[in-house]
Amino acid sequence: MSAACALAETGLRVQLVERRSYLGGRASSYLHSGVGEVIDNCQHVLFGCCTNLIGFYRRIGVADRIHWTCEMTMIEPGGRRSQLGSSWLPAPFHGLPKLLSAHAFTLADKLALGRAFSTLMRPIPADSTESLGAWLKRHKQTEGALKRFWRLVIASALNADVDSIALPYAAKVIRELFMNSAGAGSMGMSTVPLSELYAGAQAFLEQRGSKVLFNTNVESAAWDEENAQWTLTTRSVTLASDLLVLALPFEGMQRMLPGLPAASGVGELTRQIEEHEHWPICSVHLWFDREITSLDHAVLLDREIHWMYNKSRLQPWRRGNYLELVVSASRPFAELSREQAIAQTVRELIEFFPTIAVAKLEKAALVKEMRATFGVPPGIDAARPTSVSPWPNCYLAGDWTATGWPSTMESAARSGHLAAEAICASIGEPRTILDANLKPRGLMRLVG
Ligand SMILES: Cc1cc2nc3c(=O)[nH]c(=O)nc-3n(C[C@H](O)[C@H](O)[C@H](O)COP(=O)(O)OP(=O)(O)OC[C@H]3O[C@@H](n4cnc5c(N)ncnc54)[C@H](O)[C@@H]3O)c2cc1C
């Protein structure tokens, strides 16, 4: 979507081909027949540092549908709350006053976190082969800091175990979310269902003479050297195009490979794809007969459920009292049946919100995404191809390509902008499409 819209803006006529009947890919919403509600595939959050995603939202006119907050409430079982968030102090110290007063961490935890943060102020070389887990051990993080900060906040932002996360990716998340500036770390959530948000892309394309083809699964693509043209085969139509962007998830790209022409470089791309691994995310959607909490969202400590989003507050047009609970990077939770997952979620939630013990659960849904994200273990950058593909006039995009970002909507938007830049350069009309990173503020400007 980000490639298509950026290219349509330059005057190219674009056909966006989507196998589903709605836009958004993994970041989409749909009518869940079991509960009769439109739900997101899972709550998706973005941050102020996601400049390309925000740039894409601005381009398609939906940036005002994002609700922003700088506050993060952590709740312990029993209900005691701690607040993380920013203050008037210059970066990187803006979060310090709230961290220091947080009950969730002991003094030893806070000192350990302070030491770790100050070491991570400087970027970690991208070729570092250390895992976050090994680094945390080397930097003597306390059990509390490990459990309540690193494993919960950082590992779930990257959706993997700490031992399976390359240190440069974790360091990037720490710097962007907690150190570079209060704005970079502010969190955004859509006030409308995700597919409604991304429907802005369809309107944008159609206003520029481009179009979206829904329910159109691309099965193969052939290159005609003589006419310099691609032909795409789908079950219903054959499509022709001078230029092609393949913006598939890595397993989709793998499925597509046998239907693409032979070319040098295909072997290397195949090898790169094989290096990637999926991590699951589960979301449990609960509707109660009464309001459970006046918080918009919270981080839930020491239990299997990690994040609470109060959808009735974030999307006030909704009826009922709707909470969404997210469990990141947990393969055991993903193994549970629907009944087990919902029962465990409600059991755990009572420890944070006692009202639930007397409230009536009206309806519930479980969404398991076994292929939610790709992991970023040490060495993964060698397996992330650039937008240049093995084929002529064909470019690669998708969150797993070489953007330097973990598996996020920002990575997807960046990859689209990079592919669009490569296309503009290839047709002799080079231009900058990639949105610049936010500049660090305060004392972080002085750090290299
Ligand atoms: C449960 C869950 C929670 C997440 N939480 C967050 C979050 O909080 N914040 C965040 O930033 N990211 C989050 N992510 C990750 C984010 O959703 C992805 O990084 C992002 O959507 C990837 O976009 P993409 O365009 O690269 O791939 P996709 O979203 O997978 O899009 C690929 C598109 O190609 C289509 N397609 C595939 N094959 C074909 C074919 N042969 N022909 C035609 N069309 C085809 C698919 O239908 C899809 O629409 C989450 C993901 C999941 C699943």
Side-chain angles (χ1 to χ4, degrees):
M1 290 184 289
S2 65
C5 292
L7 289 169
E9 195 171 70
T10 70
L12 294 188
R13 247 180 339 104
V14 184
Q15 301 177 89
L16 173 57
V17 186
E18 169 56 55
R19 71 172 171 193
R20 291 182 175 156
S21 56
Y22 48 86
L23 288 175
R26 276 169 279 163
S28 57
S29 52
Y30 56 91
L31 178 66
H32 189 288
S33 54
V35 288
E37 303 267 355
V38 172
I39 63 172
D40 290 338
N41 189 30
C42 180
Q43 175 70 45
H44 275 61
V45 301
L46 64 142
F47 292 91
C49 53
C50 297
T51 51
N52 283 267
L53 184 63
I54 295 167
F56 168 59
Y57 288 163
R58 287 205 183 108
R59 176 169 287 129
I60 63 171
V62 301
D64 61 348
R65 308 243 174 114
I66 304 297
H67 165 80
W68 291 98
T69 175
C70 284
E71 300 291 312
M72 189 186 278
T73 306
M74 299 181 120
I75 315 183
E76 295 164 67
R80 190 165 68 157
R81 294 179 183 185
S82 303
Q83 204 76 29
L84 297 185
S86 57
S87 68
W88 56 270
L89 286 176
F93 304 114
H94 54 286
L96 201 57
K98 288 202 169 152
L99 176 66
L100 288 176
S101 61
H103 304 296
F105 300 108
T106 63
L107 181 61
D109 297 338
K110 290 169 189 170
L111 291 173
L113 286 171
R115 273 198 320 272
F117 275 42
S118 59
T119 314
L120 293 175
M121 262 174 83
R122 286 186 174 282
I124 303 291
D127 58 0
S128 157
T129 53
E130 193 165 18
S131 74
L132 172 62
W135 188 90
L136 293 172
K137 205 173 276 168
R138 207 154 60 73
H139 288 80
K140 302 199 171 20
Q141 292 297 289
T142 56
E143 194 45 43
L146 280 174
K147 194 168 69 167
R148 292 185 163 181
F149 184 76
W150 296 105
R151 287 197 196 115
L152 182 55
V153 179
I154 301 307
S156 82
L158 287 157
N159 197 35
D161 292 339
V162 287
D163 293 329
S164 305
I165 293 173
L167 181 60
Y169 281 93
K172 184 183 181 67
V173 170
I174 292 285
R175 285 165 61 85
E176 293 288 2
L177 302 197
F178 296 97
M179 299 174 93
N180 276 351
S181 68
S186 62
M187 185 165 116
M189 290 159 281
S190 178
T191 56
V192 295
L194 288 167
S195 291
E196 200 176 314
L197 185 73
Y198 290 117
Q202 183 183 358
F204 182 90
L205 290 170
E206 287 171 354
Q207 280 155 16
R208 285 157 186 81
S210 293
K211 60 182 172 192
V212 182
L213 287 93
F214 288 108
N215 304 310
T216 309
N217 187 64
V218 177
E219 286 163 359
S220 61
W223 171 244
D224 177 347
E225 184 69 47
E226 212 175 303
N227 297 310
Q229 203 169 54
W230 280 97
T231 305
L232 273 68
T233 307
T234 75
R235 198 165 290 172
S236 44
V237 281
T238 301
L239 303 163
S241 182
D242 300 333
L243 298 150
L244 177 63
V245 178
L246 293 171
L248 303 165
F250 73 86
E251 72 281 4
M253 192 61 217
Q254 193 169 38
R255 273 198 305 272
M256 183 72 82
L257 283 175
L260 288 164
S264 72
V266 174
E268 171 63 4
L269 182 59
T270 309
R271 191 199 58 73
Q272 287 180 312
I273 293 173
E274 283 165 359
E275 291 290 310
H276 286 276
E277 184 190 15
H278 287 113
W279 284 83
I281 299 181
C282 295
S283 55
V284 180
H285 304 249
L286 305 175
W287 283 261
F288 291 97
D289 66 346
R290 66 197 72 188
E291 188 182 70
I292 301 301
T293 172
S294 57
L295 289 172
D296 288 354
H297 66 98
V299 185
L300 307 178
L301 300 173
D302 306 341
R303 292 293 178 269
E304 195 78 7
I305 45 172
H306 298 147
W307 306 89
M308 182 282 293
Y309 297 95
N310 191 341
K311 301 292 273 201
S312 297
R313 289 182 64 88
L314 295 168
Q315 301 183 339
W317 47 268
R318 284 186 182 273
R319 279 176 314 192
N321 297 289
Y322 171 21
L323 298 186
E324 182 179 337
L325 296 311
V326 177
V327 182
S328 304
S330 173
R331 292 191 166 122
F333 192 88
E335 295 297 318
L336 297 180
S337 68
R338 177 185 176 277
E339 287 68 29
Q340 288 169 328
I342 292 169
Q344 175 167 341
T345 303
V346 173
R347 218 170 33 244
E348 291 187 3
L349 264 187
I350 293 173
E351 298 185 71
F352 301 95
F353 307 108
T355 315
I356 290 187
V358 290
K360 180 166 173 260
L361 179 62
E362 292 181 325
K363 51 187 177 180
L366 167 71
V367 179
K368 284 187 198 181
E369 264 287 349
M370 302 307 285
R371 293 172 166 183
T373 61
F374 63 89
V376 285
I380 194 66
D381 284 346
R384 300 185 72 180
T386 65
S387 55
V388 178
S389 85
W391 305 279
N393 288 17
C394 174
Y395 298 85
L396 301 179
D399 61 353
W400 64 284
T401 59
T403 64
W405 281 68
S407 185
T408 51
M409 298 183 289
E410 169 64 11
S411 184
R414 264 177 198 249
S415 74
H417 289 167
L418 287 167
E421 276 187 359
I423 284 186
C424 290
S426 78
I427 59 174
E429 292 178 22
R431 63 179 78 204
T432 304
I433 294 174
L434 198 69
D435 291 290
N437 292 333
L438 283 189
K439 287 201 166 58
R441 318 236 358 199
L443 301 180
M444 286 303 283
R445 282 178 304 184
L446 311 176
V447 183

